[in-house]
């Protein structure tokens, strides 16, 4: 596998193709018991530095995965932010095409997003997901994300996660 992850403008045609495929798949596989999937795409402008980035994974020039990172409101009310505001960036729209799955593409995209978050001054990276996405939640937990109280009102989400970026890793 020769996957290369690049930070790109979120208005590129391949970004549209990937995000349409992501939304189509989520809509088709959304748990019926949770109602109807709310098909919402984050505006491309929110993925523009210094307030965010968008990453696309390419395998031999073919776009096989993506994900975005955007700044959201600082957290000033949690017990562990006594030494100043928690500068939060949120991961959005992590997706890997069927052809790219099982090959480390999501990990490579998350690596790029987390690096970008640190470079942009994040003290935390947060994300939401749905508990039906078992593999995604397992990946996030393996990367050090911890489940937290909801920080947004995403109707598709059932789980919210946070990873501190301003601490030394626990060994």
């Amino acid at each position: 596998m020769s996957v290369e992850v690049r930070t790109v403008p979120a208005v590129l045609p391949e970004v549209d193709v990937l995000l349409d495929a992501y939304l189509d798949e989520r809509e088709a596989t959304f748990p019926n018991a949770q109602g109807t999937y709310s098909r919402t795409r984050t505006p491309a402008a929110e993925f523009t530095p210094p307030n965010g980035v968008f990453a696309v994974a390419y395998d031999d020039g073919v776009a096989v995965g993506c994900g975005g990172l955007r700044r959201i409101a600082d957290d000033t009310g949690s017990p562990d932010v006594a030494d100043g505001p928690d500068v939060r960036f949120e991961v959005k729209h992590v997706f890997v095409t069927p052809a790219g799955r099982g090959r480390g593409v999501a990990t490579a995209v998350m690596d790029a997003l987390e690096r970008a978050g640190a470079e942009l001054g994040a003290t935390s990276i947060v994300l939401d997901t749905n508990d039906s996405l078992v593999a995604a939640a397992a990946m996030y937990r393996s990367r050090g994300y911890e489940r937290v109280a909801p920080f947004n009102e995403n109707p598709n989400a059932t789980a919210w996660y946070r990873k501190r970026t301003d601490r030394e890793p626990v060994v």
Side-chain angles (χ1 to χ4, degrees):
M1 176 176 76
S2 60
V3 171
E4 175 192 9
V5 178
R6 295 192 303 251
T7 299
V8 301
V11 295
L12 291 182
E14 59 261 43
V15 171
D16 278 337
V17 169
L18 288 166
L19 291 179
D20 284 345
Y22 164 74
L23 293 171
D24 289 347
E25 183 174 295
R26 289 301 304 131
E27 190 171 36
T29 62
F30 196 71
N32 289 336
Q34 293 177 24
T36 303
Y37 181 75
S38 177
R39 195 177 171 100
T40 305
R41 185 190 288 195
T42 302
E46 294 185 27
F47 299 123
T48 303
N51 294 314
V53 298
F54 202 86
V56 173
Y58 297 90
D59 184 6
D60 291 328
V62 177
V64 295
C66 67
L69 186 74
R70 68 175 178 176
R71 178 128 187 219
I72 62 171
D74 294 350
D75 181 1
T76 58
S78 298
D80 60 342
V81 296
D83 57 345
D86 186 16
V87 178
R88 300 182 304 170
F89 280 75
E90 181 184 22
V91 171
K92 297 296 294 179
H93 309 316
V94 173
F95 175 71
V96 177
T97 65
R101 292 182 186 157
R103 300 170 51 213
V105 173
T107 296
V109 168
M110 287 297 296
D111 288 348
L113 296 177
E114 289 177 5
R115 271 192 310 275
E119 291 168 4
L120 292 170
T123 56
S124 289
I125 305 284
V126 297
L127 58 89
D128 62 42
T129 189
N130 189 288
D131 285 316
S132 67
L133 300 172
V134 176
M139 178 189 66
Y140 298 138
R141 286 190 305 273
S142 76
R143 298 182 68 82
Y145 287 82
E146 298 176 347
R147 200 157 177 158
V148 296
F151 56 83
N152 64 26
E153 296 182 12
N154 181 349
N156 301 321
T158 58
W160 290 260
Y161 288 89
R162 174 177 180 251
K163 178 180 180 179
R164 292 292 303 245
T165 59
D166 62 341
R167 293 187 181 156
E168 291 297 316
V170 178
V171 181

